[in-house]
Amino acid sequence: MSVMRVFLQTLGCRLNEAELERWSRNCRKQGFVLADSAEHADLVVINTCAVTGESVRKSRQLIRRAQRGNPQAKLVVSGCYASLETEAIAAELGVDLVVTNPDKDRLIDIAVRHLDLAVMPETATEPGEHALLARGRHRAFVKVQDGCRYRCAFCIVTKARGDERSQSVAAVVDEVNRAHASGIQEVVLAGVHLGGYGSDIGCDLTTLIEAVLSQTAVPRVRLGSLEPWELTDAFWSLFDDPRLMPHLHLPLQSGADSVLRRMSRRCRSADFRELVRQARQAIPGFGITTDIIVGFPGETDAEWQQTVAFARAMPFSHIHVFAYSPRAGTRAAGMPDQLSHNVKRMRSRQMHALAQAGRRQILSRAVGQIFEVLIEGRSGGDAGWSGYTPNYLRVEIEGDTLADLDNRIIRVRATALSADGERLLARPL
């Protein structure tokens, strides 16, 4: 009997990445081998996204590409798009199995049962081996929470993900320890509404982080996207532990309070500004990245200029810029004064340029400083090694490129900006 070869692919958020990590471990437990492409797999699993219309288009494109490239393979589809359009995917795209979000943690077991897959547990890897480490991964995404209680006007994900559900502290600690035992140097705690962790089990995010820091020895702990509310003053003292990386991704979405109200966001610009102040006061150089939606329905020129001014005043080390895309089933899709494609394109270009200027400003401030960098591979070709600082700045290591630095944490001094101004150049100490 040949070994079942499985190819896992995902679109979208860090939570989807964390789910991919879990599926990879479950594949190994079943004795499956991870394939490096859909064309060389017996089973293809695609974790879809539905956050924007473009995400839906890419999800459908991935499904069709997998079918064309390897029509003999079994095809399983999950994720937010699959959960929202379950019948359509089965009927139109002809996949073998759709596993919706409430069942996706058991996806591999469900696929084995429904598709009658050949399981060979005697070939499973030894406990502790992390499936994605062999694929060049240096950090693991750990899913600690799913679902969201809030209903932002533009968001379809809360409908797709359902009610909030939290992993137990013990389960998260166990997963982090397994990842570390396999050689993983950094874990990212991820969730749809990470700040709401524990609301269903009588716990909270601070308690979880304290447990991970005290009950594991993984060198670096990072937090996934975190909504800019529900953070207590005590939260910032967690960063006194240097293993908790001083970087947060706080989605802003707009710098205009009037737009934030139409979005049904629970944070205003002044609240966000105070959060950033607290973070940078707790640790100088604290890394803040964000999301900004361009061209939300009814966004006037004056509102747009408020967002531009706010982003310029921060600045952010990175901005994910999203041109607003109507999603059926959301309140925003039915709002009046939908903006034209040209307006959204022009504003997107302006925000991308502003994001680049802000990133270069932050990188320039870092020149001369000493950082510990997790080396995640070579920057391309015969170039030097590269990785990320604790506050999530990209670093390229100059000097000796022959030494094997992969997956090591080394101390470096930042010496200059790269020629394109997008990363730091640094030398080992």
Side-chain angles (χ1 to χ4, degrees):
M1 182 186 300
S2 61
V3 177
M4 175 70 64
R5 297 164 299 174
V6 183
F7 180 68
L8 305 174
Q9 191 165 14
T10 189
L11 284 171
C13 62
R14 286 178 171 177
L15 191 61
N16 275 10
E17 290 279 356
E19 289 160 351
L20 212 70
E21 304 266 4
R22 181 167 296 176
W23 294 343
S24 69
R25 289 197 302 274
N26 291 342
C27 282
R28 293 300 179 100
K29 289 177 182 178
Q30 298 283 10
F32 301 157
V33 171
L34 294 179
D36 57 5
S37 69
E39 289 75 14
H40 298 100
D42 304 302
L43 172 68
V44 176
V45 180
I46 298 176
N47 204 7
T48 62
C49 180
V51 68
T52 65
E54 179 66 9
S55 300
V56 170
R57 187 189 69 80
K58 289 182 177 179
S59 294
R60 293 175 65 90
Q61 187 179 59
L62 276 182
I63 294 169
R64 289 195 171 102
R65 187 181 300 154
Q67 290 172 320
R68 288 196 304 267
N70 188 354
Q72 285 75 40
K74 298 288 187 180
L75 180 57
V76 178
V77 177
S78 188
C80 290
Y81 172 54
S83 297
L84 292 168
E85 305 287 348
T86 304
E87 294 182 4
I89 288 178
E92 296 175 23
L93 301 180
V95 303
D96 294 284
L97 179 65
V98 177
V99 179
T100 57
N101 281 335
D103 295 322
K104 69 191 312 184
D105 285 347
R106 300 183 293 112
L107 181 142
I108 299 301
D109 291 336
I110 292 172
V112 167
R113 185 170 67 253
H114 283 264
L115 301 179
D116 193 26
L117 302 180
V119 179
M120 298 180 65
E122 67 273 12
T123 67
T125 57
E126 291 299 317
E129 180 174 345
H130 198 276
L132 291 189
L133 186 62
R135 297 168 68 191
R137 296 295 295 272
H138 306 82
R139 65 168 57 90
F141 293 88
V142 177
K143 178 180 175 180
V144 306
Q145 183 272 346
D146 204 345
C148 183
R149 78 191 78 159
Y150 301 112
R151 297 295 182 266
C152 295
F154 54 81
C155 187
I156 196 70
V157 174
T158 53
K159 181 178 179 181
R161 289 278 181 175
D163 296 333
E164 293 184 359
R165 306 174 301 283
S166 303
Q167 301 285 334
S168 69
V169 171
V172 174
V173 167
D174 182 57
E175 189 164 349
V176 172
N177 278 326
R178 286 202 308 270
H180 182 217
S182 71
I184 289 292
Q185 298 277 43
E186 178 178 298
V187 296
V188 182
L189 307 183
V192 171
H193 176 214
L194 186 58
Y197 172 83
S199 62
D200 56 326
I201 57 173
C203 191
D204 59 27
L205 181 62
T206 297
T207 301
L208 175 67
I209 295 171
E210 289 174 339
V212 170
L213 292 173
S214 64
Q215 299 176 39
T216 77
V218 65
R220 291 160 67 122
V221 178
R222 200 178 290 277
L223 302 180
S225 182
L226 190 63
E227 293 292 358
W229 57 77
E230 300 179 333
L231 299 182
T232 65
D233 292 340
F235 174 78
W236 304 107
S237 65
L238 294 169
F239 293 92
D240 291 342
D241 189 322
R243 291 165 56 217
L244 183 60
M245 298 294 96
H247 161 244
L248 289 177
H249 185 80
L250 302 172
L252 169 64
Q253 309 302 6
S254 175
D257 287 347
S258 52
V259 175
L260 292 172
R261 283 192 292 271
R262 294 202 299 277
M263 289 178 170
S264 299
R265 298 286 289 167
R266 298 173 62 85
C267 182
R268 298 294 177 259
S269 59
D271 303 325
F272 193 99
R273 193 188 307 273
E274 174 60 17
L275 274 180
V276 174
R277 187 198 65 79
Q278 289 177 329
R280 290 173 174 168
Q281 183 180 53
I283 298 181
F286 197 104
I288 302 289
T289 55
T290 196
D291 299 335
I292 290 181
I293 295 176
V294 170
F296 190 75
E299 183 182 66
T300 64
D301 288 339
E303 288 171 333
W304 171 244
Q305 290 306 319
Q306 290 177 51
T307 296
V308 169
F310 191 92
R312 184 179 288 124
M314 283 295 99
F316 297 103
S317 51
H318 185 76
I319 300 176
H320 295 280
V321 182
F322 297 92
Y324 173 73
S325 173
R327 289 292 292 116
T330 65
R331 285 189 291 110
M335 287 181 175
D337 303 320
Q338 299 281 334
L339 274 66
S340 70
H341 173 74
N342 285 340
V343 169
K344 289 187 280 191
R345 182 176 59 186
M346 287 188 294
R347 292 180 181 178
S348 292
R349 288 175 177 172
Q350 186 179 3
M351 185 53 64
H352 278 294
L354 184 63
Q356 185 180 54
R359 182 163 56 252
R360 290 182 180 180
Q361 183 178 341
I362 288 174
L363 289 170
S364 296
R365 293 174 184 170
V367 173
Q369 296 183 28
I370 294 173
F371 297 100
E372 290 194 340
V373 174
L374 171 59
I375 303 300
E376 300 184 27
R378 293 190 179 274
S379 54
D382 295 326
W385 297 93
S386 67
Y388 286 90
T389 66
N391 58 346
Y392 210 62
L393 300 178
R394 185 66 181 255
V395 175
E396 185 173 313
I397 308 301
E398 298 180 296
D400 183 10
T401 61
L402 298 179
D404 185 4
L405 302 179
D406 192 44
N407 205 35
R408 288 177 52 191
I409 297 175
I410 65 171
R411 294 180 78 240
V412 304
R413 184 185 299 276
T415 57
L417 266 63
S418 61
D420 60 6
E422 292 295 302
R423 57 198 182 281
L424 290 171
L425 303 179
R427 289 190 174 276
L429 293 177

